[in-house]
């Protein structure tokens, strides 16, 4: 690349892995990560931002590789005491993790914005990338299912994605504005590329794109927009992506993902296990082994994605 900035859109675990690789490939604070906040919710009086927390923990090296959420080396005294008192325990909050939610909630109540709080936490955790919520305004993902309409965390965590999805809505998106830092990053002349991380297109990337004006801002940046496939060999690595595709009557294939992002992306990173689909994609395609088990995998996928972006700038 030209040594300019990279802006990436991400949800939780799948997106944060590539974001971690991109941060290492773009040192000196050249990565701006725009994170889904449609999963945010209020629980036990706390403001919880699960995807921002996953980004903070993954990029600072504090993430828990076993669970895929929360912090490593966590203890659970709070949950045990809460259970004893008859409190809600379906959403697990570790002792150290709890500090993040308490401090965020406290600062929000004192008038700070989610952007300001996230920036400060990122700095304090030693993260060189700039992590931004998609919006400082509330957007809440709601899932219509065969069990009725569910708040996102009720669907995702309490019911463990078992209900059949009929429709997904992003309440508040029609009035929410992109966070000020997102607008600045997209209007900054030294942006080189925009990357859609391999996050769930329907639950993680769609809410970001639903924020009023976001799509237009992304296109107006005038740099290549590239999506990295969240499907590997036609399957999700983790989570309900393909289950939701089935339930929404979509074809379960990387081709569907290309179609979902039509009009927004200029190039697509297709996993090498799906290489046979290449000729059916009407856009520039890079074939990459996108499975990220290790930190080195993350950096390799990031570098290959950025090299592909360079070819699209030429
Ligand atoms: P969530 O918010 O925690 O569900 O996470 P995301 O939405 O960010 O990511 C879920 C998606 O990440 C799923 O579709 C997975 O298939 C995808 N994913 C997870 N790990 C990998 C990986 O190593 N490579 C690729 N290409 N996709 C991945």
């Amino acid at each position: 690349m030209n040594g300019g900035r990279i802006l990436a859109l991400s949800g939780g675990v799948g997106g944060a892995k590539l974001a971690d690789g991109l941060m290492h490939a773009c040192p000196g604070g050249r990565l701006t990560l725009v994170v889904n906040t449609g999963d945010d919710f209020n629980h036990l009086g706390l403001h919880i931002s699960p995807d921002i927390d996953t980004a903070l923990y993954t990029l600072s090296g504090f993430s828990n590789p076993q669970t895929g959420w929360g912090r490593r080396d966590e203890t659970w005294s709070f949950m045990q005491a809460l259970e004893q008192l008859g409190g809600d325990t379906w959403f697990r909050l570790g002792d150290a993790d709890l500090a993040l939610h308490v401090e965020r909630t406290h600062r929000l109540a004192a008038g700070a914005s989610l952007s300001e709080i996230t920036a400060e936490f990122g700095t304090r955790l030693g993260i060189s990338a700039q992590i931004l919520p998609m919006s400082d305004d509330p957007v809440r993902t709601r899932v219509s299912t065969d069990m009725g309409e569910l708040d996102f965390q009720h669907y995702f965590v309490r019911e463990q994605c078992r209900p059949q999805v009929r429709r997904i809505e992003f309440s508040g998106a029609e009035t929410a504005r992109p966070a000020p830092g997102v607008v600045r990053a997209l209007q900054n002349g030294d942006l080189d590329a925009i990357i859609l991380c391999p996050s769930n297109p329907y639950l993680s990337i769609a809410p970001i794109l639903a924020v009023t004006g976001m799509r237009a801002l992304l296109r107006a940046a005038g740099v290549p927009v590239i999506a990295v496939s969240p499907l590997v060999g036609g399957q999700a690595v983790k989570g309900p992506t393909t289950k939701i595709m089935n339930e929404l009557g979509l074809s379960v294939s990387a081709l569907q993902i290309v179609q979902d992002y039509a009009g927004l992306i200029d190039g697509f990173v297709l996993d090498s296990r799906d290489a046979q689909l290449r000729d059916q994609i009407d856009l520039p395609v890079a074939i990459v082994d996108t499975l990220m088990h290790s930190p080195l995998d993350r950096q390799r996928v990031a570098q290959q994605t950025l090299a592909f972006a360079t070819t699209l700038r030429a």
Side-chain angles (χ1 to χ4, degrees):
M1 301 303 297
N2 294 346
R5 303 180 64 88
I6 300 296
L7 182 134
L9 309 188
S10 175
V13 179
K17 287 200 269 180
L18 182 64
D20 183 51
L22 288 169
M23 181 176 70
H24 286 92
C26 305
R30 289 191 294 113
L31 173 68
T32 300
L33 188 65
V34 179
V35 181
N36 169 41
T37 54
D39 301 6
D40 287 21
F41 74 128
N42 216 283
H43 185 58
L44 305 173
L46 301 171
H47 180 107
I48 301 185
S49 296
D51 285 354
I52 287 182
D53 298 345
T54 297
L56 287 168
Y57 290 148
T58 304
L59 270 53
S60 62
F62 279 110
S63 62
N64 182 333
Q66 272 82 45
T67 54
W69 50 267
R71 287 175 68 124
R72 64 176 151 80
D73 306 324
E74 189 58 281
T75 56
W76 300 95
S77 299
F78 168 73
M79 282 320 277
Q80 284 155 10
L82 184 68
E83 188 164 14
Q84 197 175 32
L85 297 173
D88 254 346
T89 54
W90 58 270
F91 195 88
R92 312 277 300 156
L93 295 169
D95 298 337
D97 185 32
L98 188 59
L100 178 72
H101 311 304
V102 169
E103 186 58 18
R104 173 188 291 128
T105 306
H106 167 68
R107 291 186 190 205
L108 282 169
S113 69
L114 191 56
S115 291
E116 290 162 348
I117 298 165
T118 307
E120 161 111 22
F121 287 177
T123 306
R124 291 206 170 244
L125 291 173
I127 299 169
S128 69
Q130 186 188 20
I131 302 177
L132 296 168
M134 62 192 198
S135 177
D136 284 328
D137 306 320
V139 176
R140 296 292 172 262
T141 299
R142 295 197 202 289
V143 188
S144 297
T145 73
D146 57 348
M147 282 180 59
E149 186 169 296
L150 298 175
D151 287 344
F152 179 77
Q153 295 301 339
H154 288 169
Y155 163 74
F156 200 74
V157 178
R158 196 188 66 195
E159 302 301 332
Q160 300 189 350
C161 308
R162 279 181 301 250
Q164 300 256 318
V165 174
R166 297 192 173 137
R167 204 174 56 249
I168 303 170
E169 280 168 347
F170 309 113
S171 161
E174 59 292 340
T175 50
R177 293 275 174 268
V182 176
V183 178
R184 275 196 300 275
L186 284 167
Q187 291 179 342
N188 185 333
D190 69 355
L191 195 66
D192 273 351
I194 296 169
I195 313 290
L196 275 54
C197 288
S199 286
N200 185 317
Y202 314 100
L203 292 176
S204 294
I205 302 294
I208 305 178
L209 299 178
V211 172
T212 303
M214 186 68 86
R215 268 177 181 269
L217 269 173
L218 291 167
R219 284 310 325 172
V223 297
V225 181
I226 293 169
V228 178
S229 180
L231 297 187
V232 172
Q235 298 293 319
V237 178
K238 189 172 175 286
T241 306
T242 54
K243 179 174 181 286
I244 290 174
M245 292 173 94
N246 267 314
E247 291 166 359
L248 293 178
L250 304 172
S251 72
V252 179
S253 153
L255 298 177
Q256 178 64 50
I257 312 281
V258 175
Q259 203 176 314
D260 293 330
Y261 292 143
L264 177 67
I265 60 170
D266 305 300
F268 191 73
V269 175
L270 182 66
D271 187 80
S272 47
R273 296 155 194 84
D274 297 310
Q276 77 285 356
L277 301 175
R278 173 185 219 145
D279 294 343
Q280 296 172 64
I281 299 175
D282 211 9
L283 284 173
V285 169
I287 309 275
V288 171
D289 174 358
T290 67
L291 203 51
M292 295 173 279
H293 288 306
S294 68
L296 277 179
D297 289 335
R298 297 173 181 185
Q299 289 173 40
R300 177 183 49 75
V301 178
Q303 269 150 5
Q304 288 178 283
T305 302
L306 294 177
F308 177 46
T310 306
T311 66
L312 300 184
R313 280 173 68 86

